[in-house]
Amino acid sequence: MQLVVQKYGGTSVGSPERIKSVAARIARARADGVDLVVVVSAMGHTTDELVCLAGKVSANPPHREMDMLLTAGERISMALLSMALHDAGVPAVSFTGSQTGIITDSSHRAARIKRILGDRVRAALGDKKVAIVAGFQGVSETREITTLGRGGSDTTAVALAAALGAVRCEIYTDVDGVFSADPRVVPEAVRLDRVPHALMAELAVLGAGVLHPRCVELAKSRGVELRVLGSLSDDAGTVIVPEGDVMEDFFVTAVTADKGKTLITVELERATAHAALWSVAAAAHLAVVAPAFAGGVVRFYADKDAEWKRLLGGLVTDGFAKRFTIDDGVAPVSVVGSRFAQDGGALLSVMEALGEAGIQVEQGVASPHAITVGVAAGRVDDAVRVLHKKMVGAVK
Ligand code: ADP
Ligand code: ASP
Ligand code: MG
């Protein structure tokens, strides 16, 4: 039988009723004659609540203990979904990341999957059971529990689909697919039927939280068919396709923003200090978005993470940097599409749209696939709306 990996996000399993409706969807898919591995996220805001709880007992919780804590969230939803399936007459069994044999490196909070053993999942499928796997977690070679980073359950799902040879990976979420902008910010945003890997990866990195960036890269490199679908509808969703599947007429695909990011400026002591900066960021697995360099000054967008202050402070103490600023008042807004490199037309439209709305532009960078600009944090949604209005669907 063909194997399908499905993943259900936090809102989709956010209440007992939602869990029962996911169980009913799984039962229907099984009745259609496929084997199923189901990856689940923690219910609703459980992970955020656990992060908040940790902050109440410690100003600087050890990363190892954070992973021990946060993995509990997915353990709750996997067990509840398995129970709901039993109740619906569907045999099922749940596994943690470690029971599944999701072997990662040892970087707590940002672990990378090295390989998946998957023997217990295969045995469960052999016994005609639905295998439910806790998302976002794994185990290191030294048997430490790890997590893949926030939103990482999507990557668990795609990695499992690759390791088990699934025919496709279906990511079920609280919207009906990938849209031309976050439909919660731009109600007139349209669902995109197909998005090429490269543009989806840009969108994900630049803040469209609907897919974890690493899952897009994995789907591309391992040839996994990836779909994004609504857990509350029967809509066709969005397929992430290889580049060759889209023709030249693609222009602006979507507008996105990332309010979770901050603008960091570092003034380096000398050009050779670049290595010191990027090695601390890489060692801590901290994402760096849209970096720009001018003389000894480096500016980039990064997650609001207390780790940055500590690391950059260390660079100043060690004589690599003169000073740095972390500006929470600016967030990146991006237009993602193709053929931006042909002329200044796309840049002109971005600047016109923002100028007409009186939105001032900070630190920006452009590539053939994306134009990113910083805007005042309070104007982010306005910027997304005006850019969407002016640019989306502008097929040239
Ligand atoms: P899940 O818990 O299912 O993983 P997420 O919250 O991680 O769900 O991702 C889904 C959310 O992503 C949507 O509710 C939507 O608000 C947001 N989103 C941001 N940009 C987009 C986009 N371009 N298309 C669809 N959803 C988007
Ligand atoms: N529960 C984790 C988070 O909230 C992982 C996920 O949802 O993918 O980040
Ligand atoms: Mg998600």
Side-chain angles (χ1 to χ4, degrees):
M1 248 199 294
Q2 288 193 324
L3 173 68
V4 173
V5 174
Q6 296 187 337
K7 177 256 170 177
Y8 292 90
T11 314
S12 306
V13 293
S15 65
E17 294 67 37
R18 291 267 169 95
I19 289 177
K20 284 191 201 169
S21 94
V22 165
R25 187 180 281 273
I26 292 169
R28 286 200 300 278
R30 227 171 102 93
D32 286 345
V34 288
D35 280 339
L36 281 172
V37 172
V38 178
V39 174
V40 282
S41 290
M43 292 172 72
H45 298 291
T46 302
T47 311
D48 290 331
E49 285 158 15
L50 292 173
V51 170
C52 186
L53 196 56
K56 287 188 176 152
V57 296
S58 163
N60 188 19
H63 294 172
R64 176 191 187 275
E65 303 308 332
M66 281 308 285
D67 281 356
M68 294 300 274
L69 178 69
L70 298 194
T71 48
E74 271 69 12
R75 198 160 174 150
I76 294 171
S77 47
M78 75 181 200
L80 290 175
L81 179 59
S82 185
M83 291 174 198
L85 281 166
H86 280 273
D87 216 57
V90 178
V93 55
S94 66
F95 298 109
T96 62
S98 130
Q99 286 175 312
T100 305
I102 299 179
I103 312 296
T104 70
D105 65 19
S106 54
S107 328
H108 288 295
R109 298 201 325 169
R112 299 252 161 192
I113 298 174
K114 294 169 92 174
R115 60 183 192 281
I116 295 182
L117 307 178
D119 46 324
R120 296 195 63 183
V121 167
R122 283 192 198 88
L125 294 172
D127 289 343
K128 300 282 160 229
K129 290 180 179 164
V130 172
I132 300 164
V133 176
F136 150 80
Q137 54 180 268
V139 65
S140 73
E141 307 274 9
T142 53
R143 281 190 272 161
E144 287 291 348
I145 298 298
T146 54
T147 62
L148 309 181
R150 297 299 307 269
S153 300
D154 300 333
T155 296
T156 303
V158 175
L160 271 170
L164 300 170
V167 291
R168 66 180 173 276
C169 180
E170 300 172 345
I171 306 286
Y172 286 91
T173 185
D174 53 7
V175 290
D176 286 348
V178 179
F179 283 68
S180 54
D182 185 340
R184 294 179 205 288
V185 177
V186 184
E188 57 278 10
V190 290
R191 181 175 57 70
L192 305 167
D193 292 329
R194 299 181 307 152
V195 182
H197 284 122
L199 297 190
M200 191 62 235
E202 289 276 2
L203 269 177
V205 165
L206 295 171
V210 63
L211 282 180
H212 194 230
R214 279 158 52 192
C215 91
V216 184
E217 286 157 19
L218 199 54
K220 181 181 178 188
S221 67
R222 297 293 302 263
V224 173
E225 184 184 319
L226 182 59
R227 284 172 186 265
V228 181
L229 302 128
S231 63
L232 295 170
S233 84
D234 289 316
D235 208 77
T238 301
V239 193
I240 314 303
V241 295
E243 268 57 34
D245 285 13
V246 288
M247 299 304 277
E248 253 213 316
D249 61 359
F250 257 75
F251 188 54
V252 172
T253 299
V255 182
T256 191
D258 195 342
K259 291 182 192 165
K261 292 255 182 325
T262 180
L263 176 61
I264 295 184
T265 305
V266 188
E267 218 178 304
L268 296 170
E269 278 288 359
R270 53 193 171 280
T272 48
H274 270 289
L277 169 60
W278 304 123
S279 66
V280 290
H285 296 278
L286 288 167
V288 169
V289 169
F293 319 94
V297 180
V298 184
R299 304 182 91 195
F300 54 94
Y301 296 96
D303 288 327
K304 289 178 183 163
D305 187 324
E307 201 68 358
W308 275 112
K309 198 171 172 196
R310 200 177 62 75
L311 293 172
L312 295 173
L315 288 180
V316 173
T317 312
D318 295 343
F320 291 110
K322 288 195 186 86
R323 57 189 74 84
F324 67 89
T325 55
I326 298 179
D327 186 352
D328 282 353
V330 179
V333 174
S334 306
V335 175
V336 172
S338 50
R339 302 199 289 128
F340 286 177
Q342 284 185 350
D343 53 38
L347 265 172
L348 173 66
S349 298
V350 168
M351 296 308 173
E352 270 181 357
L354 296 173
E356 283 157 14
I359 298 172
Q360 205 179 315
V361 173
E362 303 283 340
Q363 166 71 30
V365 296
S367 76
H369 282 318
I371 297 171
T372 298
V373 292
V375 305
R379 302 291 317 264
V380 167
D381 288 350
D382 290 340
V384 169
R385 287 189 202 104
V386 296
L387 288 170
H388 188 272
K389 191 160 183 213
K390 187 159 194 112
M391 299 186 72
V392 170
V395 176
K396 297 243 166 97

